[in-house]
Amino acid sequence: MAASENCARVTRASKKRAAAATVVEGQSANKKRVVLGELSNVQNVNVSVAAQKRKAKSQITKCKPKKRAKVGVAPKIKTIVVSEDNEPKLTVDDLLDDPEMKGPYSSDIYAYLRKMEAEPKRRPIPNYIEKIQTDVSANMRGVLVDWMVEVAEEYKLGSDTLYLSISYLDRFLSMNILSRQRLQLLGVSSMLIASKYEEITPPHVEDFCYITDNTYRRDEVVKMEADILKSLNFEMGNPTAKTFLRRFTNIAQEDFKIPNLQLEFLGYYLAELSLLDYNFVKFLPSLVAASVVFLAKFIIRPKLHPWGPSIQQYTGYKPADLRPCVILLHDLYMARRGGSLIAVREKYKLHRFKCVAMMPSPPEIPFSYFEEA
């Protein structure tokens, strides 16, 4: 009896276990089928997607559509549109391709530079040699500047460094009496400061001592550097003719079908020539830069009027405003002034500057060119 009950319990338990096992097996079987079904469907989908891609690729190959234009890239403007009343429809800033020279702030930046260049604290006295100096002459200044051009070439300094150093020199001489024996010391110390301001790896103080054949000691150069900084009240950043020349040259290039390297290098040459002559101290840097572009265009194409409405609008100068500066600059170019100063002239006779120092020029500029175009 006990054995039969035990068998019955075993039988009932086994039945329960068998039933539970059947359910679990059914569930696992169902799960496996679902998974396999999903895998099968995924494979089918992959196959169909791959087939669609192959079909689309074959269709694309057959159609060969045109290349899509880049979004947001505006076409470059190559011409100046002028209305019947000779007023440009486009602003000059729209005509510049250089990212540094266009944009919504360009006019504000230019106005700020024009305002800055006229500040008395950034300007030398126009007649400082006659009014302040007693032992330094205009010819001595020219010889010093000519030598500084050679120093800048020797140490591969940028042109901005050269322009700034000569600006410091003129500003210092406008406030301090200096003996001729210390004039070269002023030149190398000014170039040392400008190098620190502009160059990534400026020459060391010892390099500037060496270039003077060790005429001055290191402590003398450092002392003069401190004197310059104090005299200029640490106002080291001011616009030069090179600052404006970059912008004006870009506008002048619009008159040529392709960018004219001769115009660019000739502008650099004329601007560096202006550094040699003391008489250019009285002109604003922007006016010198505008005069440089005027004369460079005249030398390259003497039969065409060098000034147009677009560049007049952009520079803010009329041809008549430029006449005194252009005449002086032309005399320098023709070696009627400063003919003994040869460093700049020899520099721009090199092929890397397109030999612009040897370009011929008419002896006189027609007076009609100083009338409005």
Side-chain angles (χ1 to χ4, degrees):
M1 183 72 181
S4 63
E5 288 177 0
N6 192 17
C7 289
R9 285 198 296 271
V10 170
T11 303
R12 285 196 295 269
S14 63
K15 285 182 178 180
K16 288 181 179 178
R17 285 196 297 270
T22 304
V23 172
V24 171
E25 184 178 355
Q27 288 177 353
S28 63
N30 289 338
K31 285 183 181 179
K32 286 181 180 178
R33 282 196 295 271
V34 171
V35 173
L36 289 176
E38 289 174 353
L39 288 175
S40 176
N41 291 338
V42 169
Q43 288 176 352
N44 292 337
V45 169
N46 288 340
V47 171
S48 61
V49 168
Q52 289 176 2
K53 284 184 178 179
R54 285 196 298 271
K55 185 177 180 182
K57 187 175 181 181
S58 63
Q59 289 177 352
I60 291 171
T61 306
K62 290 178 183 179
C63 296
K64 292 182 180 179
K66 295 181 181 179
K67 290 183 178 180
R68 295 175 64 185
K70 292 182 179 180
V71 179
V73 178
K76 293 184 178 180
I77 302 171
K78 296 295 181 183
T79 56
I80 298 173
V81 181
V82 179
S83 61
E84 294 179 358
D85 56 351
N86 292 329
E87 289 293 327
K89 294 180 181 178
L90 298 174
T91 62
V92 180
D93 294 326
D94 294 332
L95 305 175
L96 295 176
D97 292 330
D98 191 339
E100 294 181 357
M101 304 201 184
K102 66 187 298 186
Y105 343 98
S106 183
S107 298
D108 293 335
I109 291 172
Y110 180 66
Y112 173 72
L113 291 174
R114 288 294 300 270
K115 181 182 178 181
M116 183 189 290
E117 70 169 347
E119 292 177 359
K121 65 180 180 181
R122 302 180 192 275
R123 294 284 302 148
I125 298 174
N127 57 344
Y128 68 80
I129 287 183
E130 296 85 3
K131 192 172 181 180
I132 305 295
Q133 300 303 320
T134 57
D135 197 29
V136 175
S137 66
N139 186 55
M140 292 177 191
R141 178 195 174 277
V143 172
L144 174 64
V145 171
D146 197 55
W147 175 78
M148 290 171 70
V149 172
E150 291 181 336
V151 174
E153 283 293 295
E154 177 69 23
Y155 289 138
K156 296 179 172 57
L157 302 178
S159 57
D160 291 286
T161 304
L162 176 65
Y163 283 84
L164 272 180
S165 60
I166 295 169
S167 171
Y168 301 157
L169 176 122
D170 287 327
R171 289 167 61 192
F172 183 85
L173 291 175
S174 297
M175 295 181 282
N176 302 275
I177 299 174
L178 197 73
S179 65
R180 66 179 68 187
Q181 289 80 15
R182 292 169 60 82
L183 188 60
Q184 190 179 23
L185 175 61
L186 174 62
V188 293
S189 300
S190 297
M191 190 162 278
L192 173 63
I193 297 171
S195 299
K196 291 179 178 180
Y197 189 87
E198 283 288 340
E199 303 292 331
I200 297 174
T201 53
H204 299 290
V205 178
E206 292 77 12
D207 296 322
F208 287 108
C209 294
Y210 171 78
I211 206 70
T212 64
D213 197 21
N214 293 311
T215 303
Y216 308 104
R217 301 187 309 275
R218 186 184 190 279
D219 59 318
E220 290 181 298
V221 176
V222 173
K223 175 66 167 56
M224 178 58 80
E225 177 189 15
D227 291 342
I228 295 171
L229 291 170
K230 290 176 184 176
S231 294
L232 304 186
N233 199 24
F234 291 86
E235 296 284 353
M236 299 292 106
N238 55 285
T240 64
K242 186 65 182 289
T243 307
F244 296 99
L245 185 59
R246 292 190 188 94
R247 306 168 68 80
F248 296 169
T249 302
N250 274 272
I251 298 300
Q253 292 283 10
E254 294 296 327
D255 294 340
F256 298 87
K257 293 182 180 179
I258 57 174
N260 193 316
L261 279 178
Q262 274 191 330
L263 176 67
E264 185 176 349
F265 291 140
L266 186 56
Y268 294 162
Y269 173 49
L270 293 171
E272 287 190 24
L273 279 179
S274 71
L275 298 174
L276 302 173
D277 199 317
Y278 165 70
N279 290 283
F280 283 86
V281 172
K282 62 189 175 188
F283 298 120
L284 289 173
S286 60
L287 190 140
V288 174
S291 301
V292 161
V293 172
F294 184 102
L295 184 58
K297 291 182 68 177
F298 168 74
I299 292 171
I300 293 174
R301 300 192 301 192
K303 294 185 178 180
L304 296 178
H305 198 297
W307 215 240
S310 62
I311 196 166
Q312 179 173 317
Q313 175 199 357
Y314 192 68
T315 62
Y317 291 111
K318 299 177 182 178
D321 302 330
L322 307 177
R323 188 171 184 274
C325 188
V326 171
I327 297 299
L328 280 174
L329 202 56
H330 190 238
D331 288 343
L332 270 175
Y333 184 80
M334 301 298 291
R336 294 193 284 251
R337 303 174 64 92
S340 61
L341 307 175
I342 62 172
V344 178
R345 302 179 194 277
E346 293 298 322
K347 173 183 174 180
Y348 284 91
K349 285 180 181 178
L350 300 176
H351 285 284
R352 64 189 175 108
F353 292 114
K354 300 290 183 182
C355 307
V356 292
M358 296 188 288
M359 290 180 64
S361 171
E364 301 295 336
I365 303 173
F367 183 78
S368 60
Y369 284 178
F370 295 106
E371 299 172 356
E372 291 190 32

